[in-house]
Structures are given as structure tokens and as C-alpha cells.
Amino acid sequence: GGGIQMKKIKKFVDAISEELEDAKEYAESYVEAKAKGETGIANRYKEMAGDEIKHAMYLHEMVVAEIKEISKVYTPPADMQEKWDMAHKEYVEKAAWIKQMLQM
């Protein structure tokens, strides 16, 4: 049923949030290090932030696939769909913002 699926999706959403939080912290450290002229350290942070974004992207793809599968079997409850839509929007905005920071 829906309960297990909901839990699974929530796990994905939480994991995506965590990866993006870490990416954001690394991106901020990258900007700081770059401002101080610490190029080597800046590049490490940039790479780490990039990795976290990649993880978030993979998780995002997995959850999208998962929701597609669920939708074949039954209509996801509105609150699940709503939660996911919100999480998705946040993911897109946050990832874009982090990528922008990494372009600095």
C-alpha cells in the first residue's frame, strides 16, 4: 500500500535535502576560499559541492522513476503528490542557486 511508498519517497526527499544542504555549505566555502585567493582549497570545495549535487540529481532521478512506477499501480495520494511537487520545486531552485555560486 501507500504507507510504505510514502515512507520510501519521504526518505528520498530527506536524502535529497541533505545532499543539497551539504552542497550549499561547500559552495559557500568555495566562494569564501576563492575570495581569499586560496585557489587550491576553493577547487576542492567546488569539486565536493559538485559531487553532492550529482548525488542529489541521482536521488532525484530515482524518486521520479519511483513515482512513475507507483502511478502505474494506483493514483498517488494528493498529499504525497503535493509534498513531492514542493520538494521538486525546492530541489530545482536550490540546485540552480548552488550551480550559480559555483560559477563565481
Side-chain angles (χ1 to χ4, degrees), residues 6 9-10 13 16-17 60 63-64 67-68 71 76-94:
M6 275 292 286
I9 301 237
K10 189 178 177 330
V13 168
I16 290 169
S17 287
H60 185 259
V63 78
V64 168
I67 288 172
K68 236 187 218 135
S71 303
D79 64 331
M80 179 173 115
Q81 193 60 53
E82 217 171 278
K83 268 201 188 87
W84 169 243
D85 289 341
M86 267 172 57
H88 175 77
K89 189 171 169 285
E90 193 182 313
Y91 159 79
V92 172
E93 285 170 6
K94 229 180 193 171

Side-chain angles (χ1 to χ4, degrees), residues 23-80:
K24 191 168 158 280
E25 272 177 40
Y26 291 143
E28 284 165 0
S29 299
Y30 156 74
V31 173
E32 268 172 46
K34 200 166 180 188
K36 288 185 199 159
E38 297 168 345
T39 317
I41 295 172
N43 289 338
R44 285 273 181 273
Y45 276 124
K46 186 176 190 170
E47 194 181 311
M48 283 154 66
D51 284 346
E52 300 295 335
I53 287 182
K54 206 186 297 172
H55 300 162
M57 231 168 61
Y58 293 158
L59 288 162
H60 185 259
E61 284 165 13
M62 287 182 215
V63 78
V64 168
E66 183 77 23
I67 288 172
K68 236 187 218 135
E69 282 306 301
I70 296 169
S71 303
K72 284 182 198 165
V73 186
Y74 73 100
T75 308
D79 64 331
M80 179 173 115

